[in-house]
Amino acid sequence: MKAAPFAFVRAESLDHALEQLAQHGGEAKPIAGGQSLVPMMAMRLARPAVLVDINRLPELKTLETGPRHVAMGAITRQRDVEEDTALHAAVPLLREALRWVGHVQTRNRGTVGGSLVHADPSAELPLAAAVLGAALILRSRAEGERRVAAADFFIAPMYTATGEAECLTAIEWPVWEGPGVSCAFEETAIRHGDFAMASAVCQLQFDAAGICRRAAVGLGGVAGTPLAFPDLAAELVGRRVEPRLARDIAEAAAERSEPGSDTHADAEYRRHLAAVLLRRTLLGAAAKSGAPALAA
Ligand SMILES: Cc1cc2nc3c(=O)[nH]c(=O)nc-3n(C[C@H](O)[C@H](O)[C@H](O)COP(=O)(O)OP(=O)(O)OC[C@H]3O[C@@H](n4cnc5c(N)ncnc54)[C@H](O)[C@@H]3O)c2cc1C
């Protein structure tokens, strides 16, 4: 199938892009890497009348690393994030997540912002954003700039808080200061590069004695949006991440998931996978950190 006819506008500035989005209302869509939008258009699941190309806007390519957060322009390519060593030191979960995203070829074009706005429930970057508590910066001509917490951004499968005339301009990723930060991302898919049947992620911070001092955990692919569990993460704080605790936290998280069934896996299997994967990430992150005294 071919895409329905559409007009194409190459935005010359962010203001120009916002003007186009405002002018055409819901009929226009930004195009970033095109790795999700173009296939959707080819299948006629999306039929924008106007594509607003935001690929050449320097305003959306910024990267600022501060002590508390990294502010990343929305059209930062996924592959650039993966390869940036300083960024990896600041927000290690991004590289962990990105190695599961599609293929090198798709990551070369695909943008971080595009993945977040596309909001596939199985996608890795939305899960990382939800778990870390990233902030999304949106801008429109009429309303100016607003900031939305990841917890409020992902509303339903492929539906976010982004308004019709809004452009995601940047993402602020929290930086966990201090030593002992360790993270892990695990997923199961039919083939590597496919969307996950279930995925799990954690970021933990340990003190020198191996006690967990800060924690974030979440699950992907098992509900309409990525799931973060701050209350379960809090139960890890002040304790060693040993197998029984990891299992209890993982099972409690999986219990709260709402997976669907399809030809690849039924809901019960997805929930089981979620528990296995989250337990594995917790123990994996603890082992990587060198946290001592992991019980057998
Ligand atoms: C073969 C293949 C395998 C893939 N596997 C995976 C995978 O395993 N995991 C995964 O997460 N993804 C996967 N993807 C999708 C990929 O990660 C895309 O890059 C991503 O979903 C969309 O990013 P993009 O920059 O290409 O956005 P586009 O396709 O250009 O846009 C996607 C949507 O976001 C909107 N949009 C884009 N940028 C903005 C912005 N700044 N402001 C407002 N709206 C915006 C567009 O209007 C559109 O609705 C795969 C893609 C392919 C082709």
Side-chain angles (χ1 to χ4, degrees):
M1 210 185 268
K2 284 184 182 164
F6 59 91
F8 184 87
V9 179
R10 174 163 290 148
E12 282 151 18
S13 64
L14 180 55
D15 281 347
H16 183 211
L18 297 179
E19 182 193 302
Q20 288 296 313
L21 293 175
Q23 190 179 321
H24 299 286
E27 295 295 302
K29 267 185 176 295
I31 181 160
Q35 298 299 298
S36 294
L37 183 54
V38 172
M40 299 265 294
M41 288 172 66
M43 289 185 276
R44 301 213 174 184
L45 296 171
R47 299 172 74 124
V50 183
L51 284 186
V52 181
D53 181 3
I54 56 172
N55 278 286
R56 297 194 183 180
L57 304 184
E59 301 98 314
L60 304 185
K61 279 187 188 155
T62 50
L63 185 64
E64 288 165 29
T65 305
R68 287 174 183 270
H69 65 249
V70 168
M72 176 186 290
I75 61 168
T76 306
R77 304 280 171 204
Q78 296 162 6
R79 185 70 175 156
D80 289 339
V81 173
E82 208 180 338
E83 295 198 320
D84 188 320
T85 312
L87 192 50
H88 178 57
V91 192
L93 190 54
L94 288 175
R95 189 183 285 171
E96 287 287 332
L98 277 163
R99 68 192 179 91
W100 297 98
V101 176
H103 312 275
V104 171
Q105 293 85 341
T106 62
R107 298 197 295 271
N108 276 336
R109 282 300 296 169
T111 65
V112 173
S115 174
L116 296 175
V117 178
H118 184 62
D120 188 295
S122 294
E124 292 80 2
L125 289 174
L127 178 56
V131 165
L132 289 181
L136 295 295
I137 316 298
L138 296 162
R139 178 173 275 278
S140 70
R141 199 174 158 91
E143 308 290 335
E145 188 167 288
R146 68 186 179 112
R147 200 187 151 82
V148 180
D152 302 319
F153 186 74
F154 301 106
I155 294 172
M158 296 178 182
Y159 182 55
T160 70
T162 313
E164 281 179 352
E166 274 184 322
C167 188
L168 175 67
T169 57
I171 307 100
E172 285 181 6
W173 298 96
V175 172
W176 287 19
E177 289 175 86
V181 176
S182 184
C183 58
F185 198 114
E186 293 283 344
E187 70 177 46
T188 298
I190 300 290
R191 297 169 305 184
H192 187 88
D194 286 359
F195 280 96
M197 288 190 273
S199 55
V201 62
C202 74
Q203 182 159 294
L204 308 174
Q205 189 163 25
F206 294 94
D207 66 16
I211 305 295
C212 179
R213 293 296 170 201
R214 192 172 177 185
V217 301
L219 294 173
V222 287
T225 60
L227 300 175
F229 302 99
D231 57 328
L232 294 177
E235 290 184 30
L236 293 162
V237 174
R239 301 166 79 178
R240 292 184 197 286
V241 180
E242 44 81 24
R244 180 174 300 189
L245 176 61
R247 187 201 60 201
D248 290 349
I249 297 290
E251 287 182 355
E255 201 52 47
R256 290 196 214 162
S257 67
E258 296 168 353
S261 297
D262 61 21
T263 47
H264 297 309
D266 64 18
E268 193 187 345
Y269 179 63
R270 279 196 160 91
R271 191 174 284 117
H272 167 75
L273 267 185
V276 170
L277 293 170
L278 187 53
R279 180 172 54 84
R280 205 178 279 167
T281 65
L282 290 167
L283 296 176
K288 267 197 278 182
S289 78
L294 283 175

